[in-house]
Amino acid sequence: MPTKLNLAGPHGQIYADPTPSTDEDAFQVNNTSAAYYNSPYYLANKNLVQPIPPPRPGSPASIDLADYLPADLMAAINAAGSITFHSTGDTGAAKVSARQNAATALAEEAAVADAMAAAVQAGGARGPAFFFHLGDVVYNFGEAQYYYDQFYEPFREYDRPIFAIPGNHDGMVFGASSTAPQVPTLAAFLANFCAAAPGPSPEAPSIARSVMTQPGVYFTLDAPFVSIIGLYSNVMDSGGGIISSQGGMYPISDVQLAFLTSELTRLKPQRQAGQRAIVIAVHHPPLSCDAKTGGSGGLMQDIDACCKSAGLWPDLLLSGHAHLYQRFTRTVNGRQAPYIVCGSGGFAATAPMGGVPPAGTVVGDHKLEVAPIVQFGYLTLTTDGKTLTASFNSAPCNAPVKQLDSVTVDLVKGVLTAGGSAPAPGPAPKPTPKPVPKPTPKPVPKPTPKPVRKPTPKPKPPAPKPTKGGGKKRPR
């Protein structure tokens, strides 16, 4: 493949290989991590949360895209008046079973990564500016030795920065002892996404991509026309995401609640001025119709409490975890916002467990807009601060990319202008019975009353004539 001139960040970051090789069809390090599900530490602690690593000392809560893209590209975005970016989650190619070998697993992730890279190359300065990963970068326990096969090699041609929040598999830990993990939680994620300075990854020295310098596992990315607030929802495989102690139920701090409230408060004036969209990204979905990776009630309550305190709600919420695509519309205070699950980045596209309601089903304040799409793919998002469009693109192996869903939100009015669905059909209404006319009763003739004769009055006697003198006649 010919050498090409690639993007260089303002602090020496490199994002794509100048001479990328062909896609690999075998793991460089054979993935045996499924065996760790039987390790003493995991078995003893699988239903417990892990501690949240603190941010890097002295680092701010937010980072600016201008510190990762060159000035000419930032100028092009501002001149165009809008920004486009990518998002998906659950990319790690590690699902190997009797029905799927390593070559198939690698090819499925590569198809998504290659499609995204091609969109960047085709778009040039007006193409996607970055990729925001929704977690589960590496399976099954976020081990460092698998970062080459599952992250750096598949995205070696993606010539833009890749930001990420960790998923449960990035933070899960194992160990030969039930009392202490073999490696601290999120150790490899911190080394590759929260480094103190850019440079080559120790896990992939032959790949040009630099490690990222995010401040921690939760942070805000400020870009032109959009801010993305990323949260870490811990390590539960089922049972929902956890970002706080939930009132003392879990032994972790509430630092992310304070962070989220503070960031929403900081961004509120710009949002009200129509200068930027506000997106919240968290690996576990607050809403999902999958029985295993179903919606997280405690997570939703925590996010809602922060939004209520700040007086600002997100224009869009992005999640992964469920290995498919789902889209809901949630209405809060009369405003509509998409809640999208896109965990279809390359690891085992999986149909929902349990019965799935039809598209259009309304439950409480949210509606399932489309039937779940069980295909590998990614999101392309565009916003100018006043409207926001999110499109889901399938990226199957050896087939063209195809847009399968899209939604547009008017951020000023808080309504969907495209992508809404009709309410799900309910039971057929019972037919209204036609009125049966009552028979007109025949008139019953009233009996003719017999005439009553009035008695003939007797004539009155004539009045006596008055006597002379005008006096009355005395009786004798």
Side-chain angles (χ1 to χ4, degrees):
M1 189 173 289
T3 301
K4 57 184 179 179
L5 183 63
N6 286 329
L7 197 71
H11 302 290
Q13 302 100 324
I14 300 174
Y15 301 119
D17 279 9
T19 55
S21 59
T22 57
D23 291 339
E24 66 178 6
D25 58 7
F27 293 128
Q28 285 204 356
V29 179
N30 189 32
N31 193 313
T32 60
S33 64
Y36 297 143
Y37 285 113
N38 296 317
S39 70
Y41 185 86
Y42 179 76
L43 291 173
N45 298 277
K46 63 182 179 180
N47 294 321
L48 301 178
V49 295
Q50 290 293 319
I52 304 170
R56 194 171 60 253
S59 60
S62 61
I63 54 178
D64 196 317
L65 185 63
D67 288 326
Y68 296 86
L69 288 183
D72 59 339
L73 197 54
M74 293 295 295
I77 293 169
N78 284 302
S82 66
I83 190 170
T84 297
F85 60 98
H86 283 142
S87 189
T88 194
D90 304 80
T91 57
K95 187 69 171 180
V96 177
S97 64
R99 294 178 294 176
Q100 175 173 286
N101 58 23
T104 301
L106 289 166
E108 287 170 341
E109 181 181 5
V112 176
D114 291 349
M116 295 167 65
V120 168
Q121 293 297 327
R126 291 295 302 120
F130 60 89
F131 167 25
F132 198 98
H133 199 298
L134 299 174
D136 280 0
V137 181
V138 168
Y139 289 82
N140 287 290
F141 289 80
E143 302 99 310
Q145 67 266 32
Y146 300 135
Y147 261 80
Y148 178 89
D149 285 327
Q150 296 188 39
F151 178 67
Y152 285 102
E153 196 279 337
F155 290 98
R156 69 201 181 285
E157 290 189 74
Y158 192 83
D159 198 18
R160 293 294 184 272
I162 300 177
F163 304 93
I165 50 173
N168 58 298
H169 284 280
D170 298 311
M172 285 166 53
V173 285
F174 63 94
S177 164
S178 63
T179 58
Q182 180 171 312
V183 179
T185 183
L186 292 166
F189 183 92
L190 292 169
N192 286 279
F193 286 99
C194 307
S201 169
E203 279 69 61
S206 63
I207 299 291
R209 177 173 293 278
S210 303
V211 295
M212 295 296 285
T213 54
Q214 299 168 186
V217 297
Y218 58 91
F219 67 100
T220 299
L221 171 63
D222 289 331
F225 313 109
V226 66
S227 286
I228 304 175
I229 304 173
L231 303 171
Y232 172 50
S233 51
N234 227 281
V235 299
M236 296 300 184
D237 194 29
S238 59
I242 299 164
I243 62 172
S244 76
S245 69
Q246 294 188 13
M249 186 179 299
Y250 298 101
I252 56 175
S253 74
D254 293 335
V255 63
Q256 289 195 90
L257 302 185
F259 159 76
L260 177 56
T261 303
S262 175
E263 287 300 280
L264 290 170
T265 302
R266 174 180 71 87
L267 296 168
K268 184 176 179 180
Q270 297 177 64
R271 174 64 189 84
Q272 291 178 330
Q275 296 174 353
R276 64 180 55 246
I278 305 300
V279 179
I280 292 178
V282 59
H283 179 69
H284 291 80
L287 295 175
S288 174
C289 59
D290 183 10
K292 181 181 178 182
T293 58
S296 306
L299 173 62
M300 178 83 88
Q301 291 173 10
D302 276 347
I303 293 174
D304 283 355
C306 295
C307 294
K308 185 176 181 180
S309 177
L312 182 66
W313 299 77
D315 301 304
L316 169 68
L317 192 143
L318 297 175
S319 298
H321 195 50
H323 302 157
L324 42 66
Y325 172 83
Q326 304 173 70
R327 178 165 64 84
F328 299 83
T329 296
R330 189 173 183 221
T331 303
V332 179
N333 298 331
R335 297 181 65 86
Q336 297 177 317
Y339 279 52
I340 294 177
V341 181
C342 188
S344 47
F347 182 87
T350 308
M353 295 184 180
V356 177
T361 296
V362 178
V363 178
D365 61 6
H366 58 274
K367 179 172 69 168
L368 177 65
E369 294 287 5
V370 295
I373 299 173
V374 189
Q375 294 190 35
F376 295 112
Y378 60 94
L379 289 167
T380 301
L381 304 104
T382 301
T383 183
D384 60 0
K386 296 178 176 60
T387 62
L388 185 150
T389 297
S391 301
F392 176 69
N393 310 287
S394 69
C397 294
N398 304 315
V401 174
K402 185 178 181 181
Q403 181 179 300
L404 299 182
D405 185 47
S406 186
V407 60
T408 299
V409 188
D410 182 328
L411 304 181
V412 177
K413 297 179 180 179
V415 296
L416 270 61
T417 58
S421 66
K430 295 180 180 179
T432 305
K434 294 181 179 179
V436 180
K438 296 180 180 180
T440 305
K442 294 181 180 180
V444 180
K446 295 181 180 180
T448 304
K450 294 180 180 181
V452 180
R453 292 182 179 180
K454 294 180 180 181
T456 304
K458 294 180 180 182
K460 294 181 180 181
K465 293 181 180 179
T467 58
K468 291 180 180 180
K472 291 184 179 180
K473 198 173 181 178
R474 292 182 180 179
R476 289 180 180 178

